[in-house]
Amino acid sequence: SGGNSIIVVPGANRAVSPEYIMGHGDALRECDILVLQLEIPLEAVLYAARRAKELGKTVILDPAPASPHIPRELYGCVDYIKPNEIELEMLAGGENAGGSLEESAALLQSWGAKNVIVTLGARGAFLLEQSGRARSIPALQNIRAVDTTAAGDSFTGALAYGLAAGSSLYGALELAVRVAGIVVTRKGAQTSMPDMQEILKAVQ
């Protein structure tokens, strides 16, 4: 069916601390966009996001593995949060049981996140903009999913690339959906990621 199952073995990730990040302050000062996941300790994520906002950087959070215990301060540091449907439900927890996709996304916004992007697999993605406008981004058509490993990471990377390259948010999301649509058609993680030539060919 093209689905996957992921096990996280933290290893060195668990050793990432606020102090470690402080020691690499130049990297934060030199970047335009900071992409974070939850595979390092939460206190390190919060420190990095807080420091990035102090420096005026754009922060993208891919909340995986998802947790209902994310501090509200972290949401307030996030310009773009990108859960999938399951992660969104986990983040919203019992506060929006049975609620719609848009209601759950709005809940994250009420906690401080500016733009909420929800990946929907074969249905593309959903965007709730900071302005309150809701939009859908359709997926590539006629895609045969072989292995969905790395689709979410590829989506996030393409989103960051698109924004850094000067695309509009919707344009960056169209690129991200396109990249993820290509990734699921082949096995592997890094080996499944396309180059720009493949991406452009996919929309001809």
Side-chain angles (χ1 to χ4, degrees):
S1 64
N4 63 26
S5 180
I6 296 173
I7 297 171
V8 177
V9 183
N13 281 9
R14 187 172 286 168
V16 177
S17 64
E19 292 74 22
Y20 176 87
I21 296 170
M22 288 177 201
H24 294 80
D26 287 347
L28 277 177
R29 283 188 290 272
E30 293 169 5
C31 79
D32 296 313
I33 297 175
L34 175 67
V35 178
L36 293 164
Q37 292 179 301
L38 300 180
E39 293 181 359
I40 61 174
L42 194 52
E43 60 267 23
V45 174
L46 180 56
Y47 172 80
R50 187 191 295 133
R51 181 63 182 138
K53 294 317 295 178
E54 290 173 355
L55 294 168
K57 309 302 183 179
T58 296
V59 176
I60 300 174
L61 175 64
D62 187 344
S67 167
H69 306 299
I70 294 176
R72 298 292 165 85
E73 183 185 357
L74 180 54
Y75 286 103
C77 295
V78 171
D79 296 288
Y80 305 95
I81 188 169
K82 194 234 76 179
N84 61 30
E85 285 182 281
I86 296 171
E87 290 161 351
L88 178 64
E89 184 178 344
M90 189 175 295
L91 294 175
E95 297 194 37
N96 193 46
S100 69
L101 187 71
E102 189 166 341
E103 288 170 340
S104 294
L107 182 62
L108 269 56
Q109 280 190 335
S110 74
W111 294 341
K114 294 180 178 64
N115 300 278
V116 181
I117 299 156
V118 186
T119 53
L120 306 172
R123 292 180 288 126
F126 169 82
L127 166 66
L128 184 61
E129 295 181 77
Q130 185 175 3
S131 65
R133 181 184 184 186
R135 306 180 73 178
S136 294
I137 302 90
L140 289 178
Q141 300 302 305
N142 303 314
I143 292 293
R144 178 178 173 268
V146 172
D147 180 0
T148 57
T149 306
D153 291 333
S154 300
F155 184 104
T156 304
L159 169 64
Y161 170 83
L163 293 173
S167 295
S168 67
L169 174 54
Y170 194 84
L173 286 171
E174 286 184 314
L175 174 66
V177 165
R178 203 177 307 155
V179 169
I182 295 170
V183 165
V184 301
T185 64
R186 57 188 81 162
K187 292 184 178 181
Q190 292 183 351
T191 54
S192 69
M193 296 181 187
D195 59 22
M196 188 57 74
Q197 186 175 359
E198 288 181 276
I199 295 165
L200 294 174
K201 186 177 179 181
V203 292
Q204 290 178 352

